[in-house]
Amino acid sequence: MATRRLGVGETLGALNAALGPGSPVWIKETRTRHLRSRDFLAPHRALQARFDDGQVPEHLLHALACLQGPGVAPVLRCAPTPAGLSLQLQRPAVFERVLSAVAAYATPALPALPGQRVLLHCPALRSSPCALRLSQLRTVLVADHLARALRAHGVCVRLVPAVQDPHMLTFLQQLRVDWPAASERASSHTLRSHALEEVTSAHDGRTLSPGILGRLCLKELVEEQGRTAGYDSNLANCLVTEDLLSVLAELQEALWHWPEDSHPGLAGSPDTGTDSCLVVHVVSCEEEFQQQKLDLLWRKLVDKAPLRQKHLICGPVKVAGAPGPLMTAPEYYKFRHAQVCKASALKHGGDLAQDPAWTEIFGVLSVATIKFEMLSTAPQSQGEWLLLFNNILPFPDLLSQTAMLDCTAPGLHITARTEMMCKFLVQLSMDFSSYYNRVHILGEPRPHRFGQMFVRLQLLRAVREVLHTGLAMLGLPPLSHI
């Protein structure tokens, strides 16, 4: 019988449960100076709120020192300190358990709900690359990363719109964004009929411009949703156009007809219903108002429109060192690519950009630079236990957190922790760089060091497995391909 993998969440849960009912008090340490003497801490102030004078009864201290359970890391000692209750794990035992089952730590900690479906809608992909603003580029990268994270968690994901512009498809391939393509639009005939029934009295017989069907009142629907829903109070009416209906037709088609390989029992079955699917519109802050119109129009014109529609809003983008404030996405890529080529020329000499062997490398580095800039901000910190305790052991929980979408929260908007993976990878790179510079991994070939060398090589293997899984969540290739 396989031993269950150790987990930070399971260990914290067991530690808090051992102290009896009440709010959680234990925290996981991350700083190097604290990890020299402890791995978890129950701060003195938190203990004071739970026990008289903050003194933990002796029988509870004994229970903590002997703590066991599924996924719980073995405890070495637990003792009171001026900072609070300090606990250190049996580090050699934890190393052995983790490094003997590396693959288990590169998968999400929590299983997905069976049959869970998410439709990700990124309106920015209906434009051409040359018209794609940087804020829209961010929505594309966020949607792509979110799709990868959800799929890694076992969620069935459908991406909309299917891209028709061949230039956009080429640009997405350049960015290593995996997005579906389409050769023709979905039919909007049925929606058009419904729309004409609603707007016939709205234009008062006046001649309308080509492509415009009329004006539709949304005020009643906004009031019906309630102020807490988050819709803009200025959404009184909507100008119904052929383009809007075409967008709705594609969304409706995607919602009702899932691909054959999408999920067992769901493919092509309209009876699966719309209530079981979460629709997430990933839009820039400039597009939010228009997307709210589309959301309400969908509810107005389609009886079985999805009840769960959430809007993931991406803020504006500021590019450090950019030659101008109004760069398009392709210009931004060229700008970062030129910087990568220049930096490589300074380091290695010569014009490497003309060398075919370096072309793919520069492309990957440029995309990596863009994705990290768009999806994260850089943090900082440092050591072998530090690598395992701060990076490998918590990674399954991180994978689960990146795929969490709180669709039960009230209101129109939803948040996604797409920055977590970038922050994690930056921190992992910094920790590993510090470790690599300080530790002779192979060392001298002396017999008494072979065991230590083997452990370090296993640790490197674990770091590589976690790193490659994290990069895959961003659509970036393994390091061996660079």
Side-chain angles (χ1 to χ4, degrees):
M1 180 178 176
T3 305
R4 180 174 176 176
R5 66 182 175 194
L6 302 178
V8 172
E10 289 89 337
T11 304
L12 281 171
L15 289 173
N16 284 308
L19 292 180
S23 301
V25 296
W26 287 95
I27 59 172
K28 173 186 173 294
E29 293 289 11
T30 57
R31 296 180 179 273
T32 307
R33 62 190 179 94
H34 294 154
L35 285 172
R36 293 192 185 105
S37 59
R38 64 182 185 242
D39 299 313
F40 296 94
L41 176 72
H44 187 63
R45 182 171 294 181
L47 293 175
Q48 282 181 318
R50 182 75 73 87
F51 305 100
D52 293 337
D53 299 324
Q55 298 298 314
V56 180
E58 194 64 35
H59 72 281
L60 291 183
L61 289 177
H62 178 73
L64 287 167
C66 303
L67 197 66
Q68 291 183 335
V72 177
V75 176
L76 176 63
R77 55 175 167 263
C78 180
T81 67
L85 201 56
S86 177
L87 183 140
Q88 189 173 48
L89 300 177
Q90 296 180 26
R91 294 183 176 181
V94 174
F95 263 107
E96 183 179 358
R97 287 276 298 275
V98 174
L99 298 184
S100 63
V102 170
Y105 292 86
T107 56
L110 300 174
L113 294 173
Q116 187 175 2
R117 299 181 299 157
V118 175
L119 190 150
L120 286 176
H121 175 219
C122 186
L125 288 174
R126 290 190 176 87
S127 65
S128 62
C130 60
L132 199 65
R133 300 187 302 273
L134 295 189
S135 57
Q136 292 176 309
L137 174 61
R138 171 176 276 174
T139 67
V140 174
L141 298 180
V142 166
D144 176 62
H145 173 50
L146 191 56
R148 295 175 190 274
L150 289 168
R151 283 170 174 157
H153 201 58
V155 177
C156 181
V157 179
R158 184 94 188 256
L159 300 174
V160 178
V163 178
Q164 293 181 298
D165 186 340
H167 300 293
M168 179 62 84
L169 285 172
T170 301
F171 185 58
L172 292 178
Q173 290 169 0
Q174 198 172 36
L175 292 173
R176 295 179 178 266
V177 169
D178 188 13
W179 205 271
S183 56
E184 57 184 25
R185 288 187 173 190
S187 172
S188 58
H189 178 74
T190 304
L191 280 172
R192 193 175 191 279
S193 300
H194 290 167
L196 287 173
E197 292 174 4
E198 296 282 347
V199 302
T200 46
S201 61
H203 55 75
D204 299 325
R206 290 174 294 177
T207 304
L208 296 171
S209 302
I212 298 178
L213 302 182
R215 196 174 295 274
L216 190 64
C217 180
L218 298 176
K219 188 174 182 179
E220 183 181 333
L221 192 55
V222 172
E223 291 173 352
E224 182 183 308
Q225 296 296 319
R227 290 184 178 181
T228 57
Y231 288 97
D232 194 302
S233 58
N234 295 315
L235 275 169
N237 52 63
C238 173
L239 199 64
V240 182
T241 65
E242 297 283 7
D243 286 340
L244 272 181
L245 294 182
S246 178
V247 171
L248 283 183
E250 183 175 17
L251 286 168
Q252 190 67 21
E253 177 73 15
L255 188 67
W256 280 67
H257 299 97
W258 290 73
E260 292 295 329
D261 58 351
S262 62
H263 205 284
L266 293 179
S269 174
D271 293 333
T272 54
T274 57
D275 293 350
S276 63
C277 180
L278 171 65
V279 178
V280 180
H281 305 284
V282 187
V283 295
S284 65
C285 49
E286 303 98 325
E287 299 169 312
E288 182 181 7
F289 187 78
Q290 184 65 19
Q291 186 55 51
Q292 288 189 20
K293 282 186 179 182
L294 186 72
D295 177 323
L296 292 168
L297 187 63
W298 196 357
R299 298 176 191 270
K300 186 83 171 178
L301 297 181
V302 181
D303 292 335
K304 293 186 177 180
L307 298 178
R308 298 192 299 166
Q309 291 190 58
K310 293 290 185 178
H311 295 215
L312 179 55
I313 310 302
C314 299
V317 175
K318 293 182 179 179
V319 179
L326 300 176
M327 295 179 75
T328 64
E331 289 171 343
Y332 173 52
Y333 177 84
K334 290 177 183 176
F335 174 64
R336 288 292 180 233
H337 188 270
Q339 286 184 321
V340 168
C341 293
K342 183 178 180 181
S344 299
L346 290 173
K347 182 176 181 179
H348 301 287
D351 188 6
L352 298 177
Q354 305 303 319
D355 187 344
W358 285 84
T359 302
E360 183 180 3
I361 295 175
F362 287 157
V364 171
L365 291 176
S366 301
V367 171
T369 301
I370 290 170
K371 290 189 175 183
F372 274 79
E373 185 172 26
M374 288 282 181
L375 299 176
S376 73
T377 54
Q380 40 193 314
S381 186
Q382 193 259 89
E384 285 157 4
W385 181 248
L386 191 71
L387 270 176
L388 184 128
F389 192 61
N390 277 356
N391 298 294
I392 299 171
L393 203 58
F395 189 64
D397 291 312
L398 176 79
L399 284 176
S400 293
Q401 291 168 23
T402 59
M404 285 183 180
L405 292 174
D406 187 7
C407 55
T408 61
L412 179 67
H413 300 111
I414 194 170
T415 58
R417 304 300 306 275
T418 52
E419 83 287 352
M420 292 181 70
M421 187 60 70
C422 288
K423 288 184 176 182
F424 171 83
L425 291 175
V426 169
Q427 189 63 59
L428 174 61
S429 300
M430 294 171 69
D431 289 349
F432 180 71
S433 178
S434 177
Y435 171 75
Y436 194 82
N437 287 333
R438 294 173 56 191
V439 177
H440 297 287
I441 295 174
L442 295 178
E444 299 177 17
R446 298 177 182 176
H448 69 282
R449 289 188 175 177
F450 283 162
Q452 183 184 54
M453 190 187 307
F454 176 76
V455 170
R456 287 176 175 171
L457 288 173
Q458 286 294 95
L459 180 61
L460 290 187
R461 176 170 165 260
V463 170
R464 185 184 66 175
E465 188 82 19
V466 166
L467 181 61
H468 287 179
T469 301
L471 289 172
M473 293 295 100
L474 299 175
L476 298 172
L479 294 182
S480 58
H481 292 181
I482 298 179

